Structure formats: structure tokens, C-alpha cells
Amino acid sequence: MNAYDEYMKGIVQPMRQELVEAGFTELKTADEVNEFMATTKGVALVVINSVCGCAAGLARPAVREAIKEVKPDHLVTVFAGQDREATEAMRGFFEEIPPSSPSIAILRDGQLEYFIPRDQIEGYPVEQITDHLAGVLKQACGQ
């Protein structure tokens, strides 16, 4: 690993931990993503994490709050720009959606049900994003 990669690994660790501590499983390789998508049943919340300010100040806080209201069957995350292979593999399951990070996908039995792209995160109050996501999760989870 070169000095840049080592530096970035250290910088993003707290950004990863924020979701892991909230109950998310990190998928770091394409194989992990493919295995998850092939075997997972029920509702999954997928966060495509990012180092940007809107991920830190909006997406991650909104996700953490929304899952306090409604917790889907599975919580997973991939990290754009860091785990490129995993992110590319995950995005391959909803190719009709342009790449966007941060972003949030709600899947049922491995099929995309709803997607919140960056342009519905950036510039919105965290409470609005939380309410949006909680509402979608309530509907997806039948609550």
C-alpha cells in the first residue's frame, strides 16, 4: 500500500465506524457484495458512503436517526472512492441509476425498491432526509 492509500485509510476510518457502530456491515469486496445480493431476503438498506461533507453532515446522521424509527432486515454499506470494487459491484445491481455518492438504496430480496441519490441529500436539512428515509423504510417494511 502506498503512502496516499495509507493516509486515506486512516482518514476514512471514523467515517466507516459511524455506520458500523450503528449496526451496518461493511461490504469491502465485489465477492462480499455478490454474496450478500445472492443470499439476502427481506428489506435491505444500502448506504453508499463517501468522504464528502454531505455524507458526514447529512447522509450518515439521517440514516442513523431513521433506523431508530424503522430497522430493516439488513444494514450494509460500501464506501465509494475507497472500496471501488465493492462499490462498482453494488452499483451494478441498479445500473439504471447514475452513480451517486453518498446515496441510499432500499432493496427487497436483492431488487431495488427505492433510491435516494446525492441530489436529494445535498442541500436538504438532515431532519428532512431522516423523515424521507424513515417514511420509505416504513412503507418497505410494512409499518
Side-chain angles (χ1 to χ4, degrees), residues 86-132:
T87 304
E88 195 173 302
M90 183 60 75
R91 286 177 172 156
F93 286 97
F94 33 88
E95 289 179 313
E96 67 280 8
I97 306 289
S100 175
S101 58
S103 57
I104 303 163
I106 289 88
L107 309 173
R108 178 180 304 283
D109 299 333
Q111 299 297 310
L112 182 65
E113 261 197 21
Y114 198 83
F115 192 83
I116 301 174
R118 179 187 178 119
D119 67 5
Q120 291 179 21
I121 296 170
E122 189 174 32
Y124 289 88
V126 70
E127 298 81 11
Q128 188 175 348
I129 302 161
T130 300
D131 291 347
H132 179 185

Side-chain angles (χ1 to χ4, degrees), residues 50-72:
S50 175
V51 298
C52 70
C54 63
L58 300 171
R60 290 191 302 267
V63 166
R64 288 192 330 267
E65 286 303 309
I67 63 172
K68 288 177 183 176
E69 288 184 47
V70 185
K71 198 158 193 177

Side-chain angles (χ1 to χ4, degrees), residues 47-51 78-84 87 91 100-102:
V47 175
I48 299 177
N49 202 352
S50 175
V51 298
V78 295
F79 208 113
Q82 300 301 306
D83 301 324
R84 288 185 170 95
T87 304
R91 286 177 172 156
S100 175
S101 58

Side-chain angles (χ1 to χ4, degrees), residues 25-36:
T25 299
E26 285 189 290
L27 304 177
K28 293 184 176 184
T29 67
D31 287 344
E32 289 175 353
V33 169
N34 292 330
E35 173 73 14
F36 174 81

